[in-house]
Amino acid sequence: GFCSRKPKDADLFDKISANDLNDYLRSMMEGLTAKVFRTYNASTTLQNELSKKDVSKMELEEKLKFYDDANRQVAILCNHQKTIPKNYESQKEKLREKID
């Protein structure tokens, strides 16, 4: 496949830069950038997910779960991943000290 000869930590598209991509996108439509495209794609996906159900008769908890599920689909599409905060270790140590 496409990635079979690449190291796992290698960029997928190593022959083009973000600037190259944005220049190409702007040639298609003025003001279009990768960021604008991602935002549009995420917004459209969220709207499509939210349009799947009528929430008018749902309880608040159901609405929140429905929204969270729809938002999760957007996060999957955008490859959003939670990262460990930079101060995680120091926070963890402070909590340990409080426990001891």
Side-chain angles (χ1 to χ4, degrees), residues 3 10 15 23 27 29 34 47 49 52-53 55 57 63-64 69 72 74 80-81 83 85-86 92 95 98:
C3 297
K15 306 291 186 222
D23 288 345
S27 77
M29 185 176 95
Q47 184 61 53
E49 290 295 315
K52 290 181 177 179
K53 290 186 182 179
V55 298
K57 294 185 171 96
K63 289 179 183 178
L64 289 172
D69 291 344
R72 192 170 298 105
V74 173
H80 289 172
Q81 299 174 9
T83 58
K86 292 178 183 175
K92 190 168 74 170
L95 288 172
K98 285 183 181 181

Side-chain angles (χ1 to χ4, degrees), residues 40-69:
Y40 170 80
N41 197 22
S43 298
T44 301
T45 301
L46 182 61
Q47 184 61 53
N48 290 341
E49 290 295 315
L50 293 175
S51 297
K52 290 181 177 179
K53 290 186 182 179
D54 177 12
V55 298
S56 63
K57 294 185 171 96
M58 286 183 182
E59 296 294 324
L60 179 59
E61 288 299 318
E62 288 177 282
K63 289 179 183 178
L64 289 172
K65 183 181 180 328
F66 176 59
Y67 178 81
D68 285 345
D69 291 344

